[in-house]
Amino acid sequence: MKRFYVTTPIYYPNAKPHIGTSYSTIMADVLKRYHKLFGREAYFVTGTDEHGQKIQQAAEERGLSPLAHCDEMAENYKTAWKDLEIDYDHFFRTTAEWHIQSVQTCLQKLWDKGEIYADTYEGWYSVSEEIFYTDKEVVDGKSPSGRDVTRIKEKNYFFKMSKYQQQLIDYINNNPGFIEPDVRKNEVLGFLKQPLGDLCISRPKSRLQWGVELPFDTDYVCYVWFDALLNYATAVGLGRTGMESDFEKWWNSDEAGAHHLLGKDILTTHAVYWPTMLMALGYKLPKKIFAHGWILNKDNAKMSKSQGQLATAKDFTDLVGVEPLRYFLAHDIHFGNDAPISIELVVNRVNNDLANNIGNLLSRSSNLIVKYFDGKCPGSSDTDEPTKKLIALAEKAADIVKEKIETFDPSRALEAIILLLNEANRFLEEKAPWTTAKTDVAQAGKDLYSAIEVLRISAILLSPVLPEKMSELLTRVGCQDRSFTAAQKWGLTKEGTPIEKGSPLFPRIEMPKDV
Ligand code: MSP
């Protein structure tokens, strides 16, 4: 793979960004930055899903036009992502004129091919999820996830999704990495054991105006999920004149392909609706659909908007800073699983891994080099057994990180770096250069050189998660070459490189009394 295309769901602008949406976005950012570090070209799309009844209602409640409401909310997202150091390449809004046109082109194509037909729809609709449900799925007047539903009976248009059921099952079975983690793949295959219905893809304008007009019947707008899912492909050029080569480059080429990150609650739309839409349109399917878990509160329940208890990233970053929160999310939530977040968990993680581990190694070694070596890095490491062991671990770290990131396992990638840093701290404890500096300064120099090398390698490998902090660390240890290949090699720091002492990179955080 030469190129890495990654997406987050496009978020409903009926609410401000919260810890759940921040989580998907931070993880996409971390993955994009890692792939860039590995020397790939990378493209990252996030954005807002602006059509549909939910947004129309949210705007009405605020006395605004839907677009004015979305303009404001899209800005909230952009600001939040900037604050979290999200390096997206494109902020997607489904109200962009070119997207609307591309959606209409796709609808027309499916209509012309006979993949869409008109019929009467009778069933249930959940506005908060913007999902249609059958009688069987609705239990005690609620959707399977407990949301309110309303009864609908009206003429609508349907996409022949059922036609692609077997093709989709075969595709999933023949492409093991297509839906991950495995538990989610099995969930989709389980869902596909039942006969798959066709997908209602329209809403009459008498009910809903806020959507993409159907090109073959102007009394209707397109169902919001149909419009929204297409974003992943229109963002890189599907249906856009002049962008054919971009579409080829990011979507179709064997060297690229889309990687969709999403929460497990929106798996069916991504793993069933979307691939069948692409099959009918005649385009390649995404490379990977990765469903992550939920961020839970202290009581291990999903933090959710409807419960009114959603934390925001700011609830944490005000105390610990942005990059430490990124680190916590990437490290403590094993990608794909549910996991809790709380101030206590974040503070402990930051103190253990960042302040004590990496921060401590940096301050101890830089202080000693300033004190005993006039701030100039000694020349080389020792050749004794403990040093050999440390070097072996350090030289392996980059490859482990690469392998874990490529298999969507960032927690284990970070664990490998922390293990190396732990070993380096233990190594210094054993070698005690603060003592040998007074009796055998050459020995102290060799051991401090090893500590600096571990810091250099670890900081390059941690930079996608902690971009500014690691850049500062690398500057303090005089590192110029911050490439992945430099992280694979021991011994690149030159003798005499100026080492700076500086204030603590990650000050210890006191646990606030009121939590
Ligand atoms: N607009 C649709 C997505 C369309 S993509 C073509 C949507 N938007 S949303 O605003 O509701 O965003 C939901 C995303 O946030 C989902 O991926 C969902 O899993 C995630 N999260 C919401 N709460 C969450 C947690 N508590 N934890 C982790 N992620 C959760 O659905």
Side-chain angles (χ1 to χ4, degrees):
M1 181 174 52
K2 268 200 212 141
R3 295 182 208 101
F4 182 71
Y5 174 32
V6 65
T7 66
T8 71
I10 46 173
Y11 305 114
Y12 290 128
N14 64 332
K16 291 190 179 161
H18 52 69
I19 194 73
T21 47
S22 302
Y23 174 57
S24 298
T25 316
I26 288 174
M27 294 316 292
D29 184 68
V30 163
L31 291 175
K32 172 196 160 168
R33 289 178 189 258
Y34 268 114
H35 283 272
K36 279 187 78 169
L37 180 67
F38 303 151
R40 301 191 172 114
E41 229 186 321
Y43 199 69
F44 167 17
V45 176
T46 186
T48 40
D49 183 0
E50 304 191 353
H51 291 124
Q53 195 161 338
K54 179 147 98 170
I55 304 306
Q56 183 172 294
Q57 279 174 2
E60 268 163 19
E61 275 160 27
R62 298 182 63 212
L64 292 175
S65 72
L67 190 59
H69 167 79
C70 291
D71 284 347
E72 204 181 297
M73 296 305 269
E75 282 314 305
N76 284 335
Y77 275 95
K78 286 186 189 168
T79 310
W81 299 159
K82 187 160 181 271
D83 290 346
L84 291 174
E85 297 178 31
I86 304 297
D87 184 26
Y88 58 77
D89 296 284
H90 181 75
F91 189 92
F92 193 96
R93 297 186 57 187
T94 50
T95 43
E97 202 44 52
W98 50 261
H99 170 70
I100 294 173
Q101 277 169 19
S102 302
V103 171
Q104 289 177 325
T105 307
C106 291
L107 285 164
Q108 188 65 50
K109 186 169 168 185
L110 293 177
W111 177 251
D112 293 344
K113 285 173 77 178
E115 300 280 350
I116 292 176
Y117 62 93
D119 201 356
T120 302
Y121 177 79
E122 183 161 7
W124 301 93
Y125 194 72
S126 152
V127 175
S128 70
E129 295 162 290
E130 301 274 18
I131 296 272
F132 294 96
Y133 288 108
T134 59
D135 285 335
K136 262 199 246 147
E137 288 168 308
V138 170
V139 179
D140 296 334
K142 300 274 183 194
S143 81
S145 54
R147 308 299 178 92
D148 290 335
V149 288
T150 45
R151 186 87 187 157
I152 294 179
K153 184 178 180 182
E154 62 200 12
K155 177 191 155 189
N156 264 308
Y157 288 90
F158 292 80
F159 159 54
K160 292 183 181 165
M161 186 160 75
S162 57
K163 189 175 143 184
Y164 295 96
Q165 178 161 5
Q166 192 54 46
Q167 203 177 318
L168 178 59
I169 295 172
D170 294 344
Y171 189 89
I172 296 171
N173 285 326
N174 295 334
N175 294 274
F178 177 52
I179 301 171
E180 283 189 340
D182 271 356
V183 56
R184 303 292 157 229
K185 174 174 88 175
N186 295 335
E187 199 177 303
V188 175
L189 286 171
F191 176 82
L192 289 170
K193 287 207 169 103
Q194 304 296 323
L196 187 61
D198 287 340
L199 182 66
C200 180
I201 53 122
S202 67
R203 313 298 313 279
K205 277 194 187 161
S206 53
R207 232 179 224 291
L208 173 73
Q209 293 81 45
W210 185 234
V212 177
E213 191 173 82
L214 296 191
F216 44 84
D217 188 341
T218 54
D219 287 340
Y220 286 81
V221 293
C222 172
Y223 169 45
V224 61
W225 269 100
F226 192 92
D227 149 23
L229 288 162
L230 276 166
N231 98 82
Y232 297 133
T234 65
V236 288
L238 171 72
R240 293 168 67 184
T241 319
M243 284 189 67
E244 294 76 8
S245 59
D246 296 79
F247 189 57
E248 189 50 42
K249 172 174 169 186
W250 291 106
W251 193 273
N252 269 334
S253 133
D254 286 338
E255 296 292 353
H259 298 81
H260 300 316
L261 305 188
L262 44 121
K264 62 182 181 179
D265 48 332
I266 52 174
L267 180 63
T268 310
T269 48
H270 283 79
V272 179
Y273 300 3
W274 180 222
T276 54
M277 284 163 64
L278 287 163
M279 284 172 175
L281 284 162
Y283 298 121
K284 260 200 178 158
L285 304 198
K287 267 241 161 85
K288 190 178 296 300
I289 293 169
F290 190 96
H292 63 68
W294 286 335
I295 303 210
L296 309 175
N297 62 20
K298 284 204 279 278
D299 309 319
N300 277 340
K302 182 191 179 205
M303 288 200 182
S304 82
K305 256 184 304 207
S306 46
Q307 302 295 310
Q309 30 116 290
L310 258 194
T312 65
K314 214 166 168 300
D315 295 340
F316 301 94
T317 57
D318 280 351
L319 181 66
V320 302
V322 167
E323 295 192 355
L325 175 68
R326 289 169 59 101
Y327 177 82
F328 173 85
L329 294 173
H331 177 275
D332 276 56
I333 303 180
H334 191 231
F335 209 30
N337 290 0
D338 293 348
I341 191 170
S342 67
I343 292 283
E344 198 178 352
L345 289 169
V346 177
V347 167
N348 285 341
R349 176 58 61 206
V350 171
N351 284 344
N352 280 337
D353 288 10
L354 303 180
N356 288 357
N357 201 341
I358 192 162
N360 197 22
L361 187 64
L362 175 67
S363 62
R364 291 209 283 195
S365 43
S366 59
N367 283 344
L368 290 172
I369 292 175
V370 167
K371 189 164 172 195
Y372 293 105
F373 298 88
D374 197 21
K376 298 198 176 60
C377 194
S380 59
S381 38
D382 207 339
T383 49
D384 62 356
E385 275 316 304
T387 312
K388 274 193 205 148
K389 264 172 71 184
L390 189 66
I391 297 177
L393 202 61
E395 285 186 328
K396 268 201 317 225
D399 291 335
I400 297 176
V401 167
K402 187 161 184 241
E403 196 254 319
K404 296 297 172 200
I405 292 295
E406 287 179 342
T407 50
F408 285 67
D409 194 357
S411 318
R412 292 216 168 81
L414 296 179
E415 245 341 281
I417 309 169
I418 291 300
L419 183 84
L420 170 63
L421 287 160
N422 271 334
E423 279 309 312
N425 271 313
R426 217 189 328 261
F427 171 89
L428 276 198
E429 286 296 329
E430 229 178 84
K431 296 282 201 150
W434 40 89
T435 310
T436 47
K438 293 171 200 144
T439 52
D440 182 355
V441 77
Q443 182 62 48
K446 287 180 191 170
D447 298 333
L448 289 169
Y449 181 85
S450 295
I452 293 293
E453 276 297 282
V454 168
L455 283 164
R456 178 186 67 78
I457 288 171
S458 305
I460 295 176
L461 296 176
L462 282 170
S463 57
V465 182
L466 304 154
E468 285 178 13
K469 290 287 186 188
M470 292 306 103
S471 163
E472 190 181 332
L473 193 163
L474 288 166
T475 303
R476 286 197 201 172
V477 300
C479 169
Q480 309 279 337
D481 182 354
R482 298 171 183 194
S483 66
F484 184 68
T485 36
Q488 288 172 304
K489 283 188 207 114
W490 183 269
L492 294 187
T493 303
K494 295 213 166 61
E495 182 167 6
T497 301
I499 304 290
E500 290 169 35
K501 159 163 154 177
S503 54
L505 199 55
F506 296 106
R508 265 191 80 79
I509 316 268
E510 284 301 319
M511 189 54 199
K513 297 215 163 36
D514 52 350
V515 288

